[in-house]
Amino acid sequence: MTSSTVTSPRPDRPPRPNLAFRRLRGKRSPAEFAAAVRRAAREIGERVSCDARYIGRVEAGEIRCPNYAYERVFLHMFPGRTLTDLGFAPRSSVRGRRARADEEATGAHADRAPGTASETRRAREPYDTPDTQYPHHPYDTHHPHHPYDPHDDNEESDVLRRAFMMSGATVAAASLGPLALAHDAVAAGRPPRRAGAGHAGALEEAVRRIRLLDDRHGADGLYRRAAAPLRTAYALLDAGATRQATADRLYAGAGELAISVGWLAHDSGRFDDARSHYAEALATSRMTGDPALEAHAFCNMAFLARDAGRPREAVRAAQAAQRAARSLGSARLLSLLALREAGGWAGLADRVGCEQALTRAQALFGQGPSDADPEWMTFYGEAELEGLEAQCWSTLGDWPRAARHARRAAALQDPHFTRNLALYSAELADDLARGGRPDEAAGAGMRVLDLLGEVQSSRIHTMLAGTARVLLPHRRASGVSAFLDRHASLPRTA
């Protein structure tokens, strides 16, 4: 009797408890935490059937990596963290195991006799074990793929992979040369080696790429990915540098990266996170005596304060930024900071103060560019000047004047920078709608909708939703019904 060529499956290794996830639960019971997960899911338009049993299985390590629905919810609950930070295995490592197991099942074990034990199914279980206790939920928007179901949809995987190629470029930007090794050391809990010029250069390049991706695609898909390089940057600062010149570049680069990550949080509606990142950058500037970094940090803090409904703070932060920038010799920088101040005055309904700041901003802008202009100000051209002035007049309720400036901003904007083009067009649509021109507003809104396939910005989605509400009573006007129907069909965004 010949022996079987089928090997018995390896004994199961006991799962490793997810202690990081358990710490995040804190003093809440599993049932209370599950309720919080369901609430967070509703906030972003997801529907998950989370209960205490699921939380227990995650904490026990039985679910090594959640499915995409739960991933979106967990990352919404804990912004700035990655799945690895939450104690899960990287999706790529789990997926790789499954792919190899599937290849073995269709290749070397293709002649397996029916009913023979197979390792393929066992390889699936650590990923996200199916739960037979919960059949497909009648209200689960991810039907037929239940949140416990490990089934892979190839089409969804391809879409998500393409999305990751865009947003994951942030990680790639921060993983250039020596910075990649430092990131690996931080992720493994080891202190990185002392930083050299290569680390500083990679950090500066990461900042440039994040800004470019934001200009083209918006912040929503980038924010969570950008947190990892920021942690690496601060770990490098703790490790020290081989030379003082390198240390100075590292501090400046880390501060600029903190501002960039703060802006991604700001533009995607995470104001508390943005405030924290801007404060880190401001502290870094004060420690190193870097007036350029200080001016940039205060500039963004002024913008955040305006958006958060704190106009007086916006004025004070903008004025502090101007004091820091006076010695830098950049008229364009002072022009932008005057616009930040104007935005604060508009929020205070101080028309005189706003007009004075706008006049100063225009005069300084007219002095033209110079070698002293900071690298991060590449976005600030005539289109941005017009767009920020439009926002001021809109805040003051002067809709016709706001619409004129918004129209100019959209016309002047380089079409390669899709995010800003969508932003100015959304501003125009809102100003026209509030100014009693619903048909023109609908046309501008349609142009924004055409751009949303390339842009992920909570700011723009929020503006467009406000415009839709204003246009609801005008559904019979030309083009308005088509715009409202198309807007209503948009998928909800996280």
Side-chain angles (χ1 to χ4, degrees), residues 72-84:
R72 288 187 283 269
V73 175
F74 291 150
L75 296 184
H76 171 67
M77 292 177 70
F78 305 105
R81 299 178 189 259
T82 64
L83 283 181
T84 306

Side-chain angles (χ1 to χ4, degrees), residues 54 62-67 71 83 88-92 94 126-128:
Y54 182 82
E62 295 176 19
I63 297 176
R64 295 184 55 223
C65 187
N67 72 10
E71 177 183 0
L83 283 181
F88 294 109
R91 189 176 299 283
S92 58
V94 180
Y127 175 70
D128 198 347

Side-chain angles (χ1 to χ4, degrees), residues 28 44 52 86 110 123 144 150 152 184 258 297 345 378 393 492:
R28 289 174 287 187
I44 62 172
L86 303 181
D152 281 332
D184 292 343
W345 289 123
T378 53
W393 294 118
R492 297 191 214 179

Side-chain angles (χ1 to χ4, degrees), residues 220 267-270 456-463 493-494:
D220 286 10
D267 196 43
S268 55
R270 300 172 174 90
Q456 298 178 16
S457 171
S458 295
R459 175 189 298 272
I460 293 171
H461 278 278
T462 300
M463 292 172 66
T493 58

Side-chain angles (χ1 to χ4, degrees), residues 290-361:
D290 186 340
L293 181 59
E294 181 178 354
H296 192 185
F298 272 128
C299 175
N300 280 44
M301 292 172 83
F303 199 12
L304 175 64
R306 189 207 71 171
D307 285 353
R310 299 190 298 269
R312 196 169 301 280
E313 180 183 327
V315 170
R316 290 197 300 268
Q319 291 172 343
Q322 292 170 74
R323 288 193 295 272
R326 281 183 190 136
S327 64
L328 301 177
S330 170
R332 284 286 167 93
L333 174 57
L334 290 171
S335 171
L336 176 60
L337 298 177
L339 280 169
R340 295 286 187 249
E341 183 182 340
W345 289 123
L348 290 168
D350 186 334
R351 189 182 184 98
V352 173
C354 180
E355 288 182 331
Q356 289 175 346
L358 287 174
T359 300
R360 195 164 68 251

Side-chain angles (χ1 to χ4, degrees), residues 122-145:
R122 183 62 57 194
R124 288 177 180 267
E125 290 182 356
Y127 175 70
D128 198 347
T129 312
D131 192 331
T132 56
Q133 181 179 342
Y134 292 89
H136 300 315
H137 249 263
Y139 54 82
D140 190 348
T141 57
H142 294 278
H143 175 80
H145 304 306

Side-chain angles (χ1 to χ4, degrees), residues 6 10 12 14 45 53-54 78-79 110 122 128 176 203 247 270 295 314 322 329 368 388 397 425 429 444 476 481:
V6 178
R10 292 172 294 182
D12 289 342
R53 182 173 177 272
Y54 182 82
F78 305 105
R122 183 62 57 194
D128 198 347
L176 301 170
L203 181 55
R270 300 172 174 90
Q322 292 170 74
L388 291 175
S425 300
R476 293 186 179 181
S481 180

Side-chain angles (χ1 to χ4, degrees), residues 137-321:
H137 249 263
Y139 54 82
D140 190 348
T141 57
H142 294 278
H143 175 80
H145 304 306
H146 188 276
Y148 295 160
D149 191 340
H151 178 75
D152 281 332
D153 183 272
N154 291 332
E155 182 177 357
E156 181 194 26
S157 297
D158 288 341
V159 172
L160 289 164
R161 193 173 297 114
R162 287 194 294 272
F164 179 80
M165 288 293 288
M166 185 190 79
S167 60
T170 309
V171 176
S175 299
L176 301 170
L179 199 57
L181 300 177
H183 175 73
D184 292 343
V186 173
R190 302 190 309 270
R193 298 174 59 184
R194 289 171 68 83
H199 294 95
L203 181 55
E204 291 159 356
E205 183 61 23
V207 175
R208 293 186 191 102
R209 294 204 187 175
I210 289 172
R211 289 173 183 156
L212 178 61
L213 288 166
D214 172 53
D215 285 340
R216 291 183 176 173
H217 303 292
D220 286 10
L222 298 173
Y223 172 57
R224 296 187 185 104
R225 304 289 181 187
L230 181 58
R231 287 194 295 272
T232 302
Y234 280 112
L236 286 171
L237 291 180
D238 287 338
T242 54
R243 297 181 179 178
Q244 185 59 45
T246 301
D248 292 342
R249 287 178 63 193
L250 282 174
Y251 273 103
E256 291 293 342
L257 184 56
I259 291 174
S260 292
V261 175
W263 165 247
L264 297 178
H266 179 176
D267 196 43
S268 55
R270 300 172 174 90
F271 288 177
D272 288 342
D273 289 354
R275 190 178 180 89
S276 175
H277 289 305
Y278 293 159
E280 285 274 8
L282 182 61
T284 301
S285 74
R286 294 285 178 82
M287 285 189 296
T288 57
D290 186 340
L293 181 59
E294 181 178 354
H296 192 185
F298 272 128
C299 175
N300 280 44
M301 292 172 83
F303 199 12
L304 175 64
R306 189 207 71 171
D307 285 353
R310 299 190 298 269
R312 196 169 301 280
E313 180 183 327
V315 170
R316 290 197 300 268
Q319 291 172 343

